[in-house]
Amino acid sequence: MLDLSRELGFQFDNTYARELPGCYAPATAAAAPAPRLVKLNHALARELGLNAAALDSPVGAEIFSGNYAPPGAEPLAQAYAGHQFGNFVPQLGDGRALLLGEVVDRQGRRRDIQFKGSGRTPFSRGGDGKAALGPVLREYILGEAMHALGVPTTRALAAAATGEPVYRETPLPGAVLTRVAASHIRVGTFQFFAARGDTAKLRQLADYTIARHFPDLAAAPNPYLALLAAVADRQASLIAQWMHIGFIHGVMNTDNMAISGETIDYGPCAFLDAYHSATVFSSIDRGGRYAFGQQPQIARWNLARFAETLLPLIHSDPQAAIPEAVAVLETFGGRFDAAWLAGMRAKLGLLGDPQAGDLDLANGFLAILEAQAVDFTLAFRGLSGAALGDHTLVRPLFSDPRPYDAWAEHWQGRLADPAASARVMDGVNPVYIPRNHIVEAALAAAVERDDLAPFHALLDVLAAPFTPRGGLEAYAEPAPRGSAPYRTFCGT
Ligand code: AMP
Ligand code: MG
């Protein structure tokens, strides 16, 4: 017991707990009657300085199910508010999550370690604070896939089954996800204190956020205005990256937008198969507020809510701060467009200096995909062959290939060095994404048959999304034609 901390490698340094009293409530994890470690992320554990071998054990099961707090952890539930589908809720908070603390990883980056599904906290309202195994594994798969795809994201460190049922529509096996994030500070965290008119706490939170995520801004003429610009920049780049791979977050409430610029809270998210900008998968998003093509507008809307919280910090007279904040918000469109076009140019192998026709080429390809409901991932991946004159992977995806032929002729004329283009394209257009039907099959096997093999296999495939491997063809294919439309549900 004495040297367990050294043996397991946890070296907590909990700045949030120390520096931001009043921004959280201490809480403890519920007991798990029969803990079982479903998956430990060895590579991530090592990155965090943890002893992966020692943790991949019954001791690890006790820790990652919440039964045994690792030495140095100071479990707490963070306070936050948020706009959910446009409606402001002044108090949300970690109702089913628990921040264990922070560790500084091997590259010197400070990372949160957080449980999700470890039981009730002072913010649980009517909820049980628990999570079911299916959504826990879903977040594990999606987060790790996004990471391998090069998108900033929270990561999954472990999934542990608790041995206890959780009651949703039916009893389901309970589980805890341990996730790792640059931090869990959200737009909603700022809204919590702004809504209470607590400018002192707000300033403390903003100063903490700047020191933790944007230390250079402390010296800016107006650090809070600079914070708004920096967060806008990270969101512009993040949303562009989502759209380059066909990702729909599904529930971009302000409490689900991390200030760090990482993707957070994988609930009803999904990847596009047939390309259509109006695609919605979430069963609760009836108005299409968070549809694929809406994501930049929603990010901007969320940033406006963030800006509102910062007004009293930007200027002692908040009215005087408004034009300054608005001027920053107005840069979001340009930031997003630039990030989006840069990524689309890589996807199309448009190398060298940008040219006037690049945007039209990108939009033109999307338009023909949309018109014929072509699979987004297959189409882009197949284009590297087309760059070299082999259209056999792309052309047959179109029921009427004529619009593709016309577009491709124009596009190929633009490629000065097709071999170089093809190499770039294969590095950004994935072969493997978390295909919705394959994710569902892996979760069903785990939950209904206690068969974790498909989950483990899928994680292995998604760990190298740009490298085609023999025998994995089924993972690269969209759902069979005629499948029921895919629907996702909220709630971990
Ligand atoms: P989310 O849908 O994950 O963005 O969560 C929105 C809010 O609902 C957060 O404050 C969560 O902590 C809370 N919440 C969601 N599910 C539960 C649950 N089972 N028990 C307690 N709180 C929950
Ligand atoms: Mg959330």
Side-chain angles (χ1 to χ4, degrees):
M1 203 62 171
L2 209 56
D3 61 354
L4 200 52
S5 142
R6 181 181 305 172
E7 195 189 311
L8 298 177
F10 286 98
Q11 299 262 7
F12 283 105
D13 175 37
N14 305 327
T15 61
Y16 198 93
R18 216 158 53 225
E19 297 174 25
L20 294 175
C23 295
Y24 59 84
T28 48
R36 183 166 59 106
L37 194 55
V38 172
K39 177 82 183 172
L40 176 72
N41 188 336
H42 282 244
L44 180 58
R46 284 193 297 272
E47 203 176 302
L48 298 173
L50 306 181
N51 185 340
L55 284 167
D56 205 342
S57 66
V59 173
E62 295 291 340
I63 288 178
F64 294 117
S65 64
N67 274 349
Y68 174 72
E74 295 173 86
L76 61 86
Q78 292 180 318
Y80 55 85
H83 277 89
Q84 299 188 305
F85 290 89
N87 304 310
F88 186 61
V89 184
Q91 180 165 315
L92 290 166
D94 286 335
R96 58 173 162 182
L98 212 50
L99 178 66
L100 293 185
E102 301 146 37
V103 301
V104 176
D105 73 14
R106 288 193 165 163
Q107 294 174 45
R109 296 173 302 183
R110 181 171 294 279
R111 321 268 296 264
D112 275 6
I113 301 182
Q114 194 210 50
F115 284 158
K116 203 163 166 183
S118 54
R120 289 180 55 79
T121 77
F123 300 107
S124 294
R125 296 172 288 162
D128 59 4
K130 301 285 172 68
L133 180 63
V136 163
L137 298 186
R138 202 175 136 76
E139 177 153 354
Y140 198 121
I141 294 166
L142 270 291
E144 289 308 291
M146 292 287 270
H147 172 71
L149 288 162
V151 182
T153 177
T154 63
R155 304 278 311 271
L157 176 60
T162 59
E164 180 188 63
V166 299
Y167 296 92
R168 299 295 180 251
E169 276 105 59
T170 53
L172 295 167
V176 175
L177 176 76
T178 304
R179 82 178 170 187
V180 173
S183 85
H184 288 83
I185 301 169
R186 309 141 188 271
V187 169
T189 319
F190 284 79
Q191 290 181 293
F192 183 89
F193 299 102
R196 284 157 182 77
D198 190 344
T199 307
K201 264 276 159 313
L202 198 63
R203 187 181 306 276
Q204 239 185 327
L205 175 66
D207 290 342
Y208 175 89
T209 302
I210 289 170
R212 182 160 173 179
H213 293 298
F214 309 96
D216 296 349
L217 302 186
N222 189 325
Y224 309 110
L225 199 60
L227 174 64
L228 176 61
V231 172
D233 208 44
R234 289 209 187 164
Q235 288 299 327
S237 147
L238 179 67
I239 309 299
Q241 282 183 276
W242 289 357
M243 297 184 69
H244 292 143
I245 52 170
F247 177 76
I248 309 180
H249 184 284
V251 58
M252 286 177 70
N253 294 333
T254 56
D255 53 306
N256 291 337
M257 184 186 270
I259 298 297
S260 67
E262 286 181 342
T263 313
I264 189 170
D265 275 359
Y266 294 90
C269 60
F271 278 73
L272 289 177
D273 20 46
Y275 178 75
H276 201 296
S277 67
T279 305
V280 174
F281 291 117
S282 169
S283 59
I284 58 169
D285 189 5
R286 294 200 187 83
R289 180 180 171 88
Y290 300 139
F292 179 77
Q294 280 293 106
Q295 296 184 117
Q297 283 76 4
I298 286 293
R300 191 192 177 289
W301 191 89
N302 289 349
L303 287 166
R305 306 289 79 76
F306 181 50
E308 285 163 3
T309 72
L310 296 176
L311 293 178
L313 305 183
I314 291 172
H315 202 289
S316 53
D317 172 8
Q319 286 301 316
I322 291 175
E324 296 186 56
V326 167
V328 172
L329 289 173
E330 280 173 355
T331 64
F332 178 78
R335 291 174 202 261
F336 173 79
D337 289 347
W340 186 81
L341 183 58
M344 291 305 289
R345 292 181 73 249
K347 288 179 79 65
L348 294 175
L350 305 178
L351 310 181
D353 291 333
Q355 293 185 17
D358 291 356
L359 181 62
D360 285 344
L361 272 175
N363 284 327
F365 192 57
L366 292 178
I368 61 174
L369 296 186
E370 181 158 309
Q372 299 192 41
V374 173
D375 186 84
F376 179 82
T377 304
L378 286 182
F380 275 99
R381 181 69 191 193
L383 275 183
S384 60
L388 301 170
D390 174 5
H391 296 270
T392 52
L393 290 179
V394 191
R395 200 168 184 273
L397 299 173
F398 292 86
S399 43
D400 172 7
R402 286 169 300 179
Y404 168 73
D405 292 339
W407 177 87
E409 193 182 336
H410 186 48
W411 167 67
Q412 280 176 288
R414 168 74 175 77
L415 304 180
D417 180 349
S421 289
R423 275 194 301 278
V424 167
M425 295 164 78
D426 281 345
V428 295
N429 293 322
V431 187
Y432 309 111
I433 56 163
R435 294 272 179 189
N436 303 323
H437 64 292
I438 295 178
V439 172
E440 292 307 318
L443 301 189
V447 173
E448 291 160 22
R449 300 190 293 284
D450 198 25
D451 175 9
L452 289 159
F455 166 70
H456 292 297
L458 179 55
L459 282 180
D460 285 344
V461 172
L462 295 173
F466 301 107
T467 311
R469 283 152 283 164
L472 300 183
E473 291 74 14
Y475 289 94
E477 289 297 319
R481 279 196 180 277
S483 311
Y486 188 60
R487 276 277 158 270
T488 61
F489 301 89
C490 237
T492 315

